[in-house]
Amino acid sequence: MMELYLDLVSQPCRSVFLLAKVLRIPFEFKLIQLSAGQHYSEEFGKISIVRKVPVMKDGSFILTESIAIMQYMVQKYQAADHWYPADLQQRARVNEYLSWQHTNLRAHGSKVFLYRAMYPIIMDAPVPAEKMNVALEDLKKSLNLLEEKFLQNKPFIVGDKISLPDLVAIVEIMQPVCTGLDVFEGRPKLIAWRDRVKKELGEKLFDEANEVMMNMSSLQHTMQNSKELEMFKPMFQKLFS
Amino acid sequence: MALELYLDLFSQPCRSVYIFARKNNIPFEFKQLSLMDGEQYGEEFGRISLIRKVPALRDGGFCLAESIAILQYLAEKYKTPDHWYPANLQQRACVNEYLSWQHSAIRLHGSKMFWLRLLIPKILGVEVPQDKLDAAMEDLNASLKLIEEKFLQDRSFIAGDHVSLADLVAIVEVMQPVGSGLDVFEGRPKLSAWRDRVQEAIGKELFDDAHQKILAAQESVKEMDGSKMEFFKPKILRLFL
């Protein structure tokens, strides 16, 4: 059976999880708890030297990178065309979003999340206002582009039907949302799109994927009291400098 | 209307698109865009791409941003030889894995090194603190190490025996810090051997043609007018310092 090494606190893990569920791909959920430093274990290092999640193991074939994993799943399980359309231009639109998002919505949403949820714990101080403002401004620009270039007046990013970009986008947006930041405020177009995506996935599945994140304070508590915290500090401190 | 490619060969993703199109004899009109002169902020280019980055493609009425998407589009439309983007499930996954990973790794780290070593001090006239340079070097080394130990290993090319989009996208990024006078190949025989193979697969003449501008960067910055970059100076400093 396919193995998926996941921690649903991670956005790319959520998109892989959602796709596998929606395509009814049988898989074994192998939890790699990031807050407990399990990605640093010797065992996990043998699965992937990059030491990140998600990772897919299909027989002896190991694959990292959520985008690659989703493309693999769609191809192998011959998913319905709308997930990754064969049409030249539609596929280009999917690829364009999947490429753009790494250093835009993903990077900016993650940064806001890390500043709000992790900074005070790691640095033992509140986030400097200027840093926070810059991060929020960057996130705003990404959300503007999501609405103005990628969504425009379409129901979903590529057109009438849901595709991989919608999954990848929604999980990244949920990250800062889970820190109590309402990024949807003042964005009716985005709200309407979010509701459509939720409906397509099914509310139960959507909630299941976000369960871990909705319990932010418990997560923060775990981290704060974890002996692994010292292990993470240098990495985060570098990120926050 | 001929296929138009909006390019500035200072930019890594422009080089991979340029090399791929030329190597596969794809007819196109080279639309020069000068990044140093801020031409990406012009009104006309805004109609081609809201993202305002290069490379950009215009094929009839169809506009496309993001080099990865452009490469995949060209490979599909012009039915280039299979090895560039293999149809085989696992081989394609290997290529996709690299194309995904590289955005926030070698691309980010190689770019940063180029800016910190060359453009920021020489054009913007801002001194770069040693600790920033050291941190950037550490990140670049980590990315280069992963290229050797995960993506190459004992293979001739990233996806196996033949050159693919992954190698193309990788080589242009690895060359960027070289343009700032940093020989990343020194002490890395595996990487050097791979570079030689990629150069041969592309053709040395085309490779050199594509890299002429970046390899002359150390000289050309002396003649560059820093005042033209005042417009995005704050953005650059925020991004890299």
Side-chain angles (χ1 to χ4, degrees), chain B residues 80-94:
Chain B
T80 55
D82 181 75
H83 65 82
W84 284 112
Y85 197 36
N88 171 270
L89 180 69
Q90 287 188 10
Q91 286 188 316
R92 178 162 288 204
C94 283

Side-chain angles (χ1 to χ4, degrees), chain B residues 103-175:
Chain B
H103 288 274
S104 310
I106 186 70
R107 171 152 177 63
L108 195 67
H109 303 147
S111 294
K112 191 165 189 172
M113 192 54 83
F114 183 77
W115 276 97
L116 292 182
R117 278 179 63 98
L118 199 65
L119 299 182
I120 290 174
K122 294 287 191 292
I123 302 186
L124 299 182
V126 171
E127 204 186 304
V128 177
Q130 189 59 42
D131 65 317
K132 292 278 177 192
L133 276 167
D134 291 342
M137 194 67 189
E138 209 182 297
D139 287 340
L140 179 59
N141 284 336
S143 280
L144 291 168
K145 188 163 188 258
L146 267 175
I147 289 178
E148 289 191 299
E149 291 176 19
K150 173 185 167 58
F151 293 102
L152 274 174
Q153 291 177 39
D154 296 317
R155 296 187 287 275
S156 298
F157 297 96
I158 291 171
D161 295 329
H162 301 283
V163 74
S164 72
L165 293 181
D167 303 285
L168 204 51
V169 167
I171 197 79
V172 298
E173 295 296 344
V174 171
M175 290 303 288

